Amino acid sequence: MTPRARTLITRIAIGIGATLLVLILLLAMMPWGMFKGRAERALAERFDAPVTIGSIERTGWFSFNPMLDVRDLRIAQPRWAGDGAMVQVDHVAVRLPVLPILIGRVRPEPLAATNGRLVLIRAKDGRKNWDRRPERRSGGGGGLDSLMVRNLTLDYRDALKDRRAVLRVDSDDRGFRASGRGRLADEPIEIAIRGAPIAGSARWPFGAALIGTRTRIVAQGSTASPLDTRDMAFDLRARGNDLLDIDRVIEAGLFGTQPVAVAGRVSRKNDVWRIERLSGTIGRSRLSSAVATVDKGTERTKIDGTLRLAVLDFEDLANDRGRAIAAAKRAEAGPRIVPATRIDLSNLDDVDGVLKVKVDRLVSRYEEPFRKISATLTLDQARLTVDPFEVGMVRGVLGGRVVVDQRGGAAEPTLNLDLTLDGTTIGTLAGGGEIDATLRGMAKLTGTGETVRQAVGRSTGQVALVSGPGRIPSKLASFLGLDVGRGVFADEDAVASLRCLIVRMDVKDGTAQMNPLLVDTSRSQSRFSGTIDLATESLALSMMGSPKKDSILRLTKPVPIRGTIKGPEPRVPGEKTNVGGVLKMIGDAIAGDRPPLATDADCKGLAARAMG
């Protein structure tokens, strides 16, 4: 390089450096009030609403972090939110770091606000006047090095959750204070928030309480820096007459329950929430522990958690209104076996995750054979898989795999059941009774519906139950063989052997065809034909029975059985109930005009085919 070239480069470098120096000095001395109009336009574009500023004055003549005195700031409401101002403040002190402006970053830092009012509105459709860009997730406030507030009113109106609050906010050397009153639906509440002075970047301790006539929520913890709600941890205690009362505050999409009281530890790092040591009661149900991580950092919320309950009564998972509706439905539909549990996943179409659930003891005001539950729930793209799924009974286990699939925006979910029943007895399922025999079974069904009952009522597949050997009252065994004589005169305490009970139902579109239904005892054999409507659980069966020994009084025509699974109604043919019918049975016996006697069924082979 020639001396002339080096001289030229040196002059260019000096010129650039001098220009930058002059620019920096100009920024340090800039009379920022001249940019008031530009500031109004920038804020108006950001909030999509008219913005006016009375004046902007600089404090001091030279600084790389000049103080600006902004007076009479007013930001109007968006059109949908009505008239008036969203923000109206008499005086705002702002610090403006000027060096970042060189790289295109303008980041004013508010330091003080005096005599102002903020009106925050959320409409029924979810629009928020403080969040004009719904496609971006709003994550709460960031940290502040310092903030002094005097006589600031925060007016919050939420039509979506039906809640309202008006708070007076002050912050000075004595600390941060916000307090006021509001309501959650029809419940009046008082709100109080206290924190350390907003100064510096150290962890900021705070306490908050919401107290109502039904609801009480208390939080105590800290944020990474003052008012930095994206990095915080706190202990939470909550109580309400209904979990919906608490959900009006935390907005977790919860459901109605009996009175609830819970406590736990909550933390947040950016978009990841963590819940730990959660315990408490819902009605008479008792939550031992719960741990969960909720990640809202992407378009789909991800949940990973473990839930353990020492005691669970499913009726606690409905409030009084829900219980009344369920009771009315039970009264209208009558006793049912298949529950009306909702399985619609449309409200969870943007949630994925895994939840492990364990219930140590199930309780109910009804006689139920179920005692505990263990299950892993995996939700992926509107497809819920419960696998493994195991329900412990007084005796035996019901388990297998359950899948609820509502992918692709389906109007109704598809339910797939693949369940087995093992190690139990007929008496366990029946809640007692006189039959003592082992019982095992299986169910493979697929159907669509918003509830389990509706989906099973439209399902296709197979159901099987196999029982025996065991014991059965002799009187009942004789009647099953339509042996009226022995049934009437048998000893009440006499016992017969139940060789087997075989049930195989081929299900199509909610109609179950018996293939077969057979009861084989040491005294008789009965075969049932016909169908069961799984939508209503109504029976349309016909029973034909035969004794295994000669009988004087014997029915020889099929017995129709109507009613429901829970309440079967056998209907004995009319001609056998009068004197003439009885005399005819005796005459048939004397004349030898009677069907052949039953022989022992191939219980082992029938059981294998039924369960195959």
Side-chain angles (χ1 to χ4, degrees), residues 476-484 486 518-528 543-551 553-559 594-601:
L476 177 57
S478 296
F479 279 129
L480 284 171
L482 303 186
D483 186 347
V484 179
R486 287 192 176 88
L518 175 142
V519 183
D520 193 61
T521 76
S522 57
R523 283 181 170 246
S524 63
Q525 186 180 108
S526 299
R527 291 182 178 271
F528 297 74
M543 181 184 78
M544 189 65 206
S546 301
K548 292 186 176 180
K549 295 181 180 180
D550 287 333
S551 173
L553 300 179
R554 174 183 173 186
L555 292 176
T556 57
K557 290 186 177 181
V559 174
R594 50 192 169 177
L597 299 177
T599 59
D600 289 347

Side-chain angles (χ1 to χ4, degrees), residues 393-415:
M393 305 169 68
V394 175
R395 184 174 174 183
V397 175
L398 172 67
R401 175 184 173 91
V402 179
V403 178
V404 180
D405 194 341
Q406 203 168 354
R407 290 174 293 181
E412 292 183 323
T414 297
L415 174 67

Side-chain angles (χ1 to χ4, degrees), residues 273-510:
W273 291 81
R274 175 82 173 168
I275 302 171
E276 300 175 283
R277 304 196 302 268
L278 186 66
S279 62
T281 60
I282 301 176
R284 63 172 178 167
S285 300
R286 190 167 73 251
L287 175 63
S288 299
S289 63
V291 177
T293 299
V294 182
D295 186 349
K296 295 188 175 184
T298 62
E299 290 184 357
R300 302 189 62 79
T301 298
K302 297 180 180 179
I303 300 175
D304 185 3
T306 301
L307 181 68
R308 183 163 188 170
L309 293 103
V311 180
L312 173 62
D313 183 346
F314 278 107
E315 289 210 347
D316 287 334
L317 304 183
N319 53 23
D320 291 342
R321 179 176 178 272
R323 280 185 171 185
I325 292 173
K329 288 182 177 179
R330 281 196 300 268
E332 180 181 356
R336 295 289 190 93
I337 291 179
V338 181
T341 307
R342 287 190 62 82
I343 55 175
D344 188 283
L345 302 177
S346 57
N347 291 334
L348 298 172
D349 58 357
D350 61 346
V351 178
D352 298 327
V354 178
L355 182 63
K356 296 179 180 178
V357 179
K358 186 171 184 179
V359 179
D360 296 329
R361 185 164 67 95
L362 286 169
V363 297
S364 174
R365 59 176 173 169
Y366 306 102
E367 281 295 328
E368 299 286 356
F370 308 112
R371 289 296 178 266
K372 56 185 179 180
I373 296 177
S374 178
T376 298
L377 289 73
T378 303
L379 185 60
D380 182 20
Q381 302 283 340
R383 185 176 189 265
L384 175 65
T385 302
V386 187
D387 184 18
F389 171 66
E390 185 176 291
V391 181
M393 305 169 68
V394 175
R395 184 174 174 183
V397 175
L398 172 67
R401 175 184 173 91
V402 179
V403 178
V404 180
D405 194 341
Q406 203 168 354
R407 290 174 293 181
E412 292 183 323
T414 297
L415 174 67
N416 289 278
L417 297 176
D418 188 354
L419 303 176
T420 59
L421 179 67
D422 195 25
T424 190
T425 65
I426 293 177
T428 299
L429 281 185
E434 300 172 314
I435 302 177
D436 182 14
T438 60
L439 182 66
R440 56 194 177 97
M442 55 80 71
K444 294 183 179 181
L445 297 172
T446 300
T448 60
E450 293 184 352
T451 67
V452 174
R453 180 178 296 168
Q454 193 177 70
V456 170
R458 302 171 179 173
S459 65
T460 296
Q462 299 82 36
V463 177
L465 290 170
V466 173
S467 181
R471 297 184 303 170
I472 184 172
S474 292
K475 185 181 288 289
L476 177 57
S478 296
F479 279 129
L480 284 171
L482 303 186
D483 186 347
V484 179
R486 287 192 176 88
V488 172
F489 297 109
D491 190 333
E492 293 287 344
D493 298 325
V495 175
S497 297
L498 174 66
R499 298 188 67 251
C500 61
L501 182 152
I502 310 294
V503 181
R504 167 77 181 207
M505 295 186 288
D506 294 327
V507 183
K508 185 174 182 181
D509 298 330

Side-chain angles (χ1 to χ4, degrees), residues 10 19 42 83 93 108 149 173 192 207 217 222 286 316 326 346 354 357 390 399 408 433 461 544 547 582:
T10 301
T19 302
D83 298 329
V149 176
D173 293 339
I217 299 176
S222 64
R286 190 167 73 251
D316 287 334
S346 57
V354 178
V357 179
E390 185 176 291
M544 189 65 206
V582 174

